[in-house]
Amino acid sequence: MTQSSRDRSPAGDGRGVSPRDTEGAEALLARGRLAVEGRLVQASNATLYCAIELDGLSAACVYKPVAGERPLWDFPDGTLAEREVAAYEVSKAMGLDVVPPTVHRDGPYGPGMVQLWVEPDPDVDLVALSRSDDAAIRRMAVFDAVVNNADRKIGHLLPPGDGHVYGCDHGVCFSVEYKLRTVLWQWRGKKLTGEAVEALGRVEADLRSGPLRERLEALLTRDEVDATRRRVDLMLKHRIHPYPPEDWPAIPWPPM
């Protein structure tokens, strides 16, 4: 599923909020009035397009209720929303900001994940972008390795047109087993950038006993948090992008 849609635009008539304004966006998403406007029918899980408004601020967002999650054989039932929020917390703690502001809250169909809508630039060729050496895409590859993303498709890339790239659909991340499955393998085995090493260093201690660990343990199992820390430690030790797994499909299907 891709969050992108060519005929969607930020909802509401109030003042909008930028995904870069994480504090304002989180407050809007957590406390705003949520109104369902439609459903993204290509999604495998219930994914609702909504308008959200709070104190004159308004935006479009995606709401994925836990009740609409389809069971998966390799992830515990009813945990995808928490994994989406955990991915946002890691992205923010790393200083990469590759995941739009995301919260866990109650909604019209029960508790679930609510994420700020990011409208991608329709002039950006996503296939070419995914195969490029773009620095923003490389940041995404580093982030995916940390969260063990099992489903990084091309359509999950959201370039708003300002040089930054966001990603969506992180419900199948944080497995204890190595399940990295992505279309972004162009840096496999290559040396990490200084920026990537700094980002990994920001969360290394935090994943041991800091605030990030506390937030993640409220969303994931302790084993999953420990596995995330080990992935960070391994990347800091070897200073290279990981190689594809040998016993797991390396590219998601379909890749879009």
Side-chain angles (χ1 to χ4, degrees), residues 96 133 135 138-139 142 187 190-200 239-241:
L96 298 179
D133 197 36
R138 192 167 191 174
R139 294 185 196 105
V142 172
W187 298 283
K190 292 187 177 180
K191 185 178 179 180
L192 293 171
T193 65
E195 178 190 54
V197 172
E198 288 180 6
L200 293 166
R239 305 290 177 99
I240 62 171
H241 287 264

Side-chain angles (χ1 to χ4, degrees), residues 44-45 69-77 80 171-172:
S44 56
N45 298 299
E69 295 180 4
R70 294 177 58 186
L72 299 173
W73 68 269
D74 53 346
F75 285 87
D77 293 351
L80 304 190
V172 288

Side-chain angles (χ1 to χ4, degrees), residues 184-190 240-244:
L184 309 178
W185 286 115
Q186 54 264 54
W187 298 283
R188 61 191 181 279
K190 292 187 177 180
I240 62 171
H241 287 264
Y243 288 94

Side-chain angles (χ1 to χ4, degrees), residues 67-139:
E69 295 180 4
R70 294 177 58 186
L72 299 173
W73 68 269
D74 53 346
F75 285 87
D77 293 351
T79 67
L80 304 190
E82 285 90 348
R83 294 173 192 279
E84 296 251 24
V85 179
Y88 169 64
E89 293 289 349
V90 171
S91 165
K92 185 169 64 169
M94 292 181 72
L96 298 179
D97 297 323
V98 295
V99 179
T102 311
V103 304
H104 195 281
R105 59 164 286 180
D106 200 13
Y109 299 101
M113 178 279 280
V114 178
Q115 184 175 87
L116 193 69
W117 180 275
V118 173
E119 185 70 19
D121 184 346
D123 294 328
V124 175
D125 184 333
L126 292 181
V127 174
L129 179 65
S130 71
R131 296 175 177 174
S132 73
D133 197 36
D134 187 278
I137 293 296
R138 192 167 191 174
R139 294 185 196 105

